[in-house]
């Protein structure tokens, strides 16, 4: 379960009828946080409203058949979801993923893990987690289409070409909870074992593009799952072992195989995983929606122009256009079964025949208009199943067409802006200049 921040900082809880908000209006949060849940076949959203009333919506069933309750004391402590059969699903604050708050301490919950399931007959399932703090590194980039100048003695300007296009990597601390065991009525039946990533091991090394920070610290990956008999001591029912492989260029981890005791090994293949040009973590070669597009340009951000008469914006470069042949990099394309048979999966680009646009002709209100094109991401084109001797057994093709045209509707197209602070020739700071 993940919260979507609305209004002010997540350190401030949305309580519109709270006396603290009335007495301290600076802490009044006028917009609720939206909580997204997706577990065991249930999905949807909810938020807290006036008089602590909860609103549940966008579920994959009848919204009224799911009940939600929250126990809180300044911050959320426990979230309980009850299904139509009376089963309670409890998300406990002790099992969360966290990021630093404004003081730098890991206190802000960004994900709640399922902690317990209680049946109507009071039997229960408990999920135990291990919490680990880790440091990850993320890219942030900017591109300046014009020259950046240094005002020297207020009389001359010196161009600084090195600052035309920059990318930097910044640290991001996080605390993550990984599932360690599952118990039924306090009897452990499933255990999860992990291994820490080590840059000295060939299949674990990863790099970050254009950054000097080459490792994730304290990261773990799943090694095996062990299922035991709850009624017989040391009686193992099933073991699942996981192996991994790294891409040729960027050394990014991918699941290579899963071996199930008593069944055999399932092996996985991926698009272009052996390509020396496989994108690194933090690559700038992405389209408008963040998918890899292989465009090797120093201009990460788009050059955007605005019509002075209509105020309509247009993007003048193709550097962020989607490219499905590159977006396929790393996509699962083959599964080999213990019998020797295998499945081949093919993909194609998303397309659309209608788009939601904001134009001057519609007073910049969202309007659905006829427009065709390609957008980011992929969808399954076909799945073919083969026997161990490569004989085609069956196949399935997928079509995304309605009334002779694409059934796709483009709901979102990003807009670009820049916020920066500058010091002019008189040493006066101009903060938060927006474009």
């Amino acid at each position: 379960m993940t919260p979507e921040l609305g209004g002010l900082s997540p350190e401030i809880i949305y309580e519109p009828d709270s006396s603290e908000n009335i007495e301290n209006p600076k802490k009044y949060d006028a917009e609720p946080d939206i909580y997204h849940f997706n577990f065991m076949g249930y999905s949807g959203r909810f938020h807290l409203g006036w008089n602590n009333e909860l609103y549940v919506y966008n579920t994959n069933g009848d919204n009224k058949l799911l009940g939600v309750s929250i126990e809180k004391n300044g911050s959320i402590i426990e979230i309980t979801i009850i299904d139509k059969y009376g089963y309670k699903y409890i998300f406990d604050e002790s099992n969360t993923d966290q990021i630093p708050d404004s003081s730098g301490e890991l206190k802000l919950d960004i994900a709640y893990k399922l902690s317990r399931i209680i049946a109507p007959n009071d039997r229960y399932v408990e999920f135990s987690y291990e919490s680990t703090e880790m440091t990850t590194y993320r890219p942030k980039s900017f591109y300046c289409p014009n020259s950046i100048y240094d005002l020297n003695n207020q009389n001359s300007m010196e161009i600084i070409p090195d600052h035309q296009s920059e990318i930097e990597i910044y640290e991001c601390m996080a605390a993550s909870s990984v599932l360690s065991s599952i118990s039924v009525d306090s009897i452990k039946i499933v255990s999860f074992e992990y291994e820490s990533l080590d840059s000295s091991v060939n299949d674990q090394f990863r790099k970050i593009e254009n950054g000097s920070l080459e490792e994730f610290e304290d990261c773990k990956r799943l090694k095996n799952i062990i299922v035991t008999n709850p009624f017989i001591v040391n009686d193992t029912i099933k073991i699942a072992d996981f192996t991994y492989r790294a891409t040729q260029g960027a050394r990014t981890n991918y699941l290579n195989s899963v071996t199930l005791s008593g069944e055999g090994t399932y092996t996985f293949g991926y698009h272009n995983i052996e390509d020396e040009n496989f994108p690194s973590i933090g690559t700038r070669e992405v389209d408008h929606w963040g998918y890899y597009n292989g465009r090797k340009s120093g201009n990460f951000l788009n050059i955007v122009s605005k019509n002075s008469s209509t105020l309509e914006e247009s993007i003048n470069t193709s550097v962020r256009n989607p490219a499905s042949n590159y977006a396929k990099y790393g996509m699962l394309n083959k599964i080999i079964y213990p019998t020797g048979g295998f499945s081949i999966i093919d993909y194609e680009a998303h397309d659309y025949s209608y788009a939601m646009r904001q134009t001057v002709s519609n007073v910049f209100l969202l309007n659905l208009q006829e427009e065709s094109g390609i957008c980011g991401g992929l969808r399954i084109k076909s799945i073919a199943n083969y026997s161990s001797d490569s004989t085609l057994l069956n196949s399935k093709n997928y079509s995304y067409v309605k009334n002779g045209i694409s059934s796709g509707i483009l709901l979102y197209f990003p807009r670009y802006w820049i916020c920066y602070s500058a010091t002019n020739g008189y040493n006066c700071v101009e903060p938060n200049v927006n474009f």
Side-chain angles (χ1 to χ4, degrees):
M1 178 182 299
T2 57
E4 176 188 337
L5 176 63
L8 301 178
S9 164
E11 300 174 54
I12 301 175
I13 302 299
Y14 174 76
E15 297 177 287
D17 50 343
S18 170
S19 60
E20 180 181 355
N21 285 329
I22 298 173
E23 296 170 2
N24 188 357
K26 290 185 178 180
K27 285 191 174 183
Y28 186 83
D29 194 348
E31 184 177 352
D33 298 339
I34 299 174
Y35 290 82
H36 302 253
F37 60 88
N38 189 350
F39 65 94
M40 300 183 66
Y42 295 104
S43 63
R45 305 176 185 178
F46 67 86
H47 73 263
L48 188 65
W50 189 264
N51 290 327
N52 291 328
E53 185 174 355
L54 282 160
Y55 298 87
V56 183
Y57 47 94
N58 289 354
T59 66
N60 57 345
D62 188 340
N63 296 337
K64 297 180 181 179
L65 295 180
L66 287 178
V68 179
S69 65
I70 298 178
E71 294 182 15
K72 57 187 178 64
N73 181 17
S75 62
I76 290 178
I77 301 298
E78 189 174 275
I79 301 172
T80 302
I81 296 179
I82 305 176
D83 68 14
K84 62 180 180 180
Y85 304 106
Y87 285 84
K88 298 179 181 179
Y89 303 88
I90 300 172
F91 299 80
D92 196 306
E93 192 179 32
S94 61
N95 298 316
T96 60
D97 291 345
Q98 296 178 317
I99 58 174
D101 61 8
S102 56
S103 67
E105 297 184 21
L106 292 169
K107 291 184 177 180
L108 298 184
D109 298 324
I110 58 172
Y112 296 83
K113 305 297 179 67
L114 181 62
S115 300
R116 299 187 304 281
I117 302 174
I118 302 177
N121 62 0
D122 291 331
R123 296 194 67 188
Y124 58 92
V125 178
E126 290 183 301
F127 301 85
S128 299
Y129 298 84
E130 295 179 4
S131 181
T132 178
E133 292 186 10
M134 60 183 180
T135 303
T136 60
Y137 301 100
R138 301 179 182 178
K140 60 178 179 180
S141 313
F142 69 84
Y143 169 69
C144 181
N146 300 309
S147 300
I148 296 179
Y149 291 93
D150 180 22
L151 294 176
N152 184 16
N153 296 325
Q154 305 175 16
N155 296 319
S156 62
M157 293 190 297
E158 179 183 355
I159 189 171
I160 312 176
D162 292 341
H163 288 258
Q164 279 293 102
S165 180
E166 293 189 2
I167 182 171
E168 60 180 287
I169 305 296
Y170 68 98
E171 291 188 357
C172 180
M173 288 293 300
S176 178
S177 297
V178 295
L179 187 61
S180 60
S181 66
I182 300 176
S183 301
V184 177
D185 296 333
S186 298
I187 301 174
K188 184 189 297 185
I189 59 173
V190 184
S191 299
F192 301 82
E193 294 186 3
Y194 299 84
E195 59 184 359
S196 297
L197 296 181
D198 184 351
S199 61
S200 65
V201 179
N202 185 55
D203 73 334
Q204 299 181 2
F205 180 74
R206 296 136 347 271
K207 67 178 182 179
I208 296 178
E209 182 181 284
N210 294 339
S212 59
L213 305 171
E214 296 186 336
E215 299 177 38
F216 288 100
E217 298 177 2
D218 304 323
C219 285
K220 296 181 179 181
R221 68 183 183 190
L222 185 62
K223 184 179 180 181
N224 57 52
I225 302 174
I226 302 173
V227 182
T228 56
N229 189 330
F231 306 107
I232 302 177
V233 179
N234 297 327
D235 182 21
T236 300
I237 297 175
K238 183 77 69 175
I239 298 177
D241 290 310
F242 301 85
T243 67
Y244 301 84
R245 61 185 297 191
T247 57
Q248 186 64 31
R251 315 305 299 171
T252 304
N253 270 251
Y254 276 83
L255 180 63
N256 180 58
S257 67
V258 178
T259 300
L260 301 179
S261 58
E263 296 184 33
T265 300
Y266 296 79
T267 306
F268 307 95
Y270 305 89
H271 273 285
N272 304 101
I273 199 170
E274 301 294 340
D275 194 329
E276 286 285 350
N277 296 317
F278 197 93
S280 302
I281 296 172
T283 180
R284 290 175 290 173
E285 300 169 23
V286 295
D287 63 23
H288 295 291
W289 296 269
Y291 296 93
Y292 180 53
N293 67 359
R295 297 181 183 271
K296 300 183 181 298
S297 171
N299 304 350
F300 176 69
L301 296 180
N302 288 283
I303 299 176
V304 181
S305 63
K306 181 184 291 185
N307 187 305
S308 59
S309 300
T310 65
L311 300 181
E312 289 184 303
E313 300 170 348
S314 60
I315 296 175
N316 302 329
T317 64
S318 61
V319 66
R320 301 297 289 276
N321 286 355
S324 60
N325 56 320
Y326 287 103
K328 289 182 180 180
Y329 274 53
M331 292 293 292
L332 178 69
N333 67 353
K334 188 175 185 179
I335 303 174
I336 304 176
Y337 303 100
T339 59
F342 57 94
S343 297
I344 300 295
I345 307 170
D346 194 15
Y347 303 87
E348 64 182 11
H350 286 298
D351 60 7
Y352 57 93
S353 55
Y354 289 88
M356 296 294 292
R357 292 293 192 184
Q358 292 174 289
T359 61
V360 65
S361 60
N362 203 47
V363 203
F364 291 104
L365 298 175
L366 278 173
N367 180 49
L368 184 64
Q369 62 184 40
E370 290 189 26
E371 177 185 328
S372 60
I374 302 295
C375 55
L378 300 167
R379 62 195 184 196
I380 294 178
K381 181 180 180 181
S382 65
I383 300 177
N385 299 308
Y386 296 83
S387 64
S388 58
D389 61 0
S390 299
T391 300
L392 177 63
L393 300 176
N394 55 70
S395 63
K396 181 179 290 187
N397 297 308
Y398 296 84
S399 176
Y400 305 86
V401 175
K402 184 177 181 179
N403 298 327
I405 60 175
S406 171
S407 60
I409 299 175
L410 181 65
L411 298 179
Y412 168 75
F413 194 94
R415 298 181 67 187
Y416 296 89
W417 64 283
I418 299 173
C419 178
Y420 70 92
S421 296
T423 303
N424 62 25
Y426 298 95
N427 291 322
C428 295
V429 176
E430 300 175 1
N432 301 327
V433 182
N434 296 314
F435 283 93

